[in-house]
Amino acid sequence: LCDIRISTQLARRMAAGQLLANERVLFKRAVPTLVPDSSSDGWHLVASGFKCMPRAQANSRAELSLLQSLQKISRGERVSFAASELPLLADLELLAMGISSSSPSLARLLEAFNHSADTIGARLLLLDAGLWVQDDEDDDLEEADGDTAIDAEQLPLSIIEPFPKVALAEASDVAAGMHQRRLRYAHTDHLNEDVLSGRVDLREICPRAYAIDGPNTEFRDDAISYDIDSNTLYVHIADLTSAISAGSLLDEVARLRLQSIYASSIPLHMLPPSLLRSISLSDTLPNECLTAVIKLDVFGRVQQKKLIRTIIPPVRLIEYDEVDSLLLSSDFDSPVHRELKAFGAITLRRAESKKVDAPSPQTLNGGGGGGGASSRRDGSMAFTAGGGRRASMQWKGTSSGGLAPRPVLKTPANVLVNEALGIFSYAARSMAKH
């Protein structure tokens, strides 16, 4: 009997494992039921656990749910998309961008709205539903003859804003509010609690904040400050919590996109580009940030950490090449040189201690020389001329679901920024756990 019970249990586990591994099967929570309770003349809830559902049936439910949501939106109703609808809606946008092909689910969805199962059909559906809008000057394209086929040349992405009109209006209001708050910070000597709204004013503690990016960076969202005396790193990330409230239309749009997608035609951003430009770190006005305050030891190990909502001064815009040149220069001295060189020494020691591919003396000077960096006995870092430009490869996911190689430069400036952002991520994860 014992052997039979064990065999039965193993068989059940085997069956469960096969179901879990089967890509055609999904598990959905069963609908609970209300049952009369004879002992108390009331009712009690009976949960039914989970049930197996063929994936095709689950996909059909998602299609039907998205179909109903799009119909409501086209009638002018406000809709919050369910989580099950988001993957199919994201696929619809990718098809409209021309960077993915149609699927049976999308074909059925487009057919329900009398649109072709191609890029133009997807664009027309998104325009009809109001999820995308057409530039005002091109409104003549909206009155199309039903018998006339529309091709990509007649409906190019250059005349389309891939956001709902209401979201664009909300973005304009948010950008205006952000600008007004920045002006208030800039023109008020002593900020009271009503103005700060729970933020900490770091403009005296961090008089310099460096936004280090490439020459083609359009939106700057991070900066660093470093205090040499206390060996404290400040990593500032643009904070949108005061600008975009949870549950707002902009929040819904960002949740739909999950990430910005860069195609050969136009990028599909999580938020309207006009808003992204307004909320990027400013080099002329104060900035609202989420700041990680991190106390480091001489080897770059984190000793203390905290996250605070802050106001920081206008950032100093510096390109990677400029930072590399600054780290290599010993012709003159300034607070900027001292701060970046001190933190550069920390990042070098962190990278060396982790045994990663960093611009160490061996990697920067290897293979024919050319310059680099080395640690001195006193813990500082000496950079030598010659560039030290070295690249490695990273595999990044593409919009089509594949992987593509991308070269990543390993200069002192790149390592400095990557280490700072890595320390921020570590501090944020640690704080989130507590």
Side-chain angles (χ1 to χ4, degrees):
L1 290 176
C2 182
D3 291 341
I4 293 175
R5 283 195 295 268
I6 293 176
S7 298
T8 302
Q9 186 181 33
L10 288 175
R12 289 175 177 171
R13 289 184 177 180
M14 177 69 74
Q18 290 176 341
L19 286 174
L20 287 170
N22 191 342
E23 293 185 355
R24 297 182 179 180
V25 176
L26 294 177
F27 285 89
K28 306 293 284 187
R29 185 177 293 278
V31 178
T33 56
L34 284 173
V35 177
D37 190 345
S38 56
S39 61
S40 61
D41 295 329
W43 298 81
H44 67 273
L45 192 67
V46 177
S48 303
F50 292 85
K51 63 180 180 180
C52 298
M53 179 182 294
R55 187 175 291 272
Q57 183 180 350
N59 288 343
S60 298
R61 289 191 177 186
E63 290 175 30
L64 177 59
S65 178
L66 180 57
L67 173 65
Q68 294 171 342
S69 294
L70 291 175
Q71 289 172 338
K72 291 178 181 178
I73 292 175
S74 63
R75 295 195 296 266
E77 300 180 31
R78 173 71 186 274
V79 171
S80 179
F81 290 105
S84 60
E85 301 171 20
L86 296 182
L88 187 57
L89 189 54
D91 289 342
L92 180 64
E93 287 198 316
L94 292 178
L95 175 60
M97 293 284 291
I99 53 180
S100 71
S101 56
S102 183
S103 66
S105 296
L106 289 178
R108 289 190 291 269
L109 182 67
L110 290 164
E111 183 181 0
F113 289 91
N114 297 318
H115 291 306
S116 57
D118 55 17
T119 295
I120 293 301
R123 291 179 190 177
L124 289 173
L125 175 55
L126 290 167
L127 288 169
D128 290 345
L131 294 176
W132 288 12
V133 296
Q134 199 169 293
D135 287 347
D136 293 337
E137 60 266 24
D138 299 293
D139 286 342
D140 56 314
L141 288 178
E142 294 181 358
E143 303 295 333
D145 187 352
D147 297 330
T148 303
I150 299 177
D151 58 28
E153 293 182 356
Q154 292 176 276
L155 196 59
L157 287 173
S158 59
I159 66 169
I160 291 175
E161 283 279 7
F163 294 93
K165 184 174 292 186
V166 180
L168 293 173
E170 186 176 308
S172 178
D173 293 340
V174 168
M178 172 70 78
H179 184 67
Q180 289 300 318
R181 290 196 302 277
R182 282 176 164 163
L183 290 176
R184 191 182 308 123
Y185 300 146
H187 298 136
T188 305
D189 294 332
H190 301 287
L191 301 179
N192 56 37
E193 289 299 326
D194 292 336
V195 177
L196 288 171
S197 299
R199 295 187 181 274
V200 178
D201 190 350
L202 291 183
R203 287 178 291 178
E204 291 186 4
I205 299 175
C206 301
R208 290 169 292 278
Y210 309 103
I212 306 171
D213 284 292
N216 299 320
T217 300
E218 188 175 4
F219 312 117
R220 299 177 187 268
D221 58 1
D222 58 78
I224 64 171
S225 302
Y226 186 70
D227 181 62
I228 299 176
D229 295 333
S230 62
N231 207 23
T232 301
L233 170 68
Y234 300 83
V235 184
H236 315 287
I237 305 296
D239 185 10
L240 308 185
T241 55
S242 296
I244 302 174
S245 57
S248 65
L249 184 56
L250 288 174
D251 182 52
E252 291 288 329
V253 171
R255 186 170 67 93
L256 164 64
R257 300 281 168 82
L258 295 181
Q259 64 176 348
S260 294
I261 299 172
Y262 296 89
S264 57
S265 47
I266 63 170
L268 190 63
H269 293 292
M270 295 176 66
L271 295 170
S274 58
L275 176 58
L276 289 176
R277 282 188 286 270
S278 298
I279 60 183
S280 293
L281 297 179
S282 172
D283 60 342
T284 58
L285 292 171
N287 298 281
E288 295 178 344
C289 289
L290 179 66
T291 298
V293 184
I294 304 153
K295 174 74 173 177
L296 303 172
D297 66 11
V298 293
F299 297 101
R301 294 186 292 249
V302 176
Q303 301 298 300
Q304 300 175 12
K305 57 189 179 297
K306 63 179 178 179
L307 289 177
I308 52 177
R309 298 172 67 233
T310 61
I311 299 169
I312 68 169
V315 298
R316 301 189 179 203
L317 307 181
I318 311 179
E319 295 182 9
Y320 285 110
D321 288 344
E322 293 175 318
V323 175
D324 285 327
S325 299
L326 182 150
L327 293 174
L328 291 168
S329 174
S330 57
D331 296 337
F332 56 93
D333 185 44
S334 73
V336 175
H337 283 74
R338 290 194 294 272
E339 289 172 359
L340 289 178
K341 283 190 174 183
F343 184 60
I346 290 287
T347 60
L348 178 64
R349 288 193 291 273
R350 277 181 58 86
E352 287 178 341
S353 66
K354 292 188 296 185
K355 305 297 183 182
V356 299
D357 186 15
S360 61
Q362 293 76 19
T363 58
L364 286 173
N365 288 319
S374 60
S375 297
R376 292 194 179 106
R377 290 178 181 269
D378 61 0
S380 63
M381 182 166 59
F383 294 92
T384 59
R389 186 174 296 275
R390 190 174 184 275
S392 63
M393 301 300 294
Q394 284 185 355
W395 290 89
K396 292 290 185 180
T398 63
S399 58
S400 60
L403 293 173
R406 189 185 73 173
V408 179
L409 293 176
K410 294 287 187 179
T411 70
N414 290 103
V415 174
L416 185 149
V417 173
N418 290 338
E419 285 293 326
L421 295 178
I423 295 172
F424 177 92
S425 298
Y426 166 75
R429 288 195 303 268
S430 300
M431 297 295 293
K433 290 179 181 179
H434 296 85

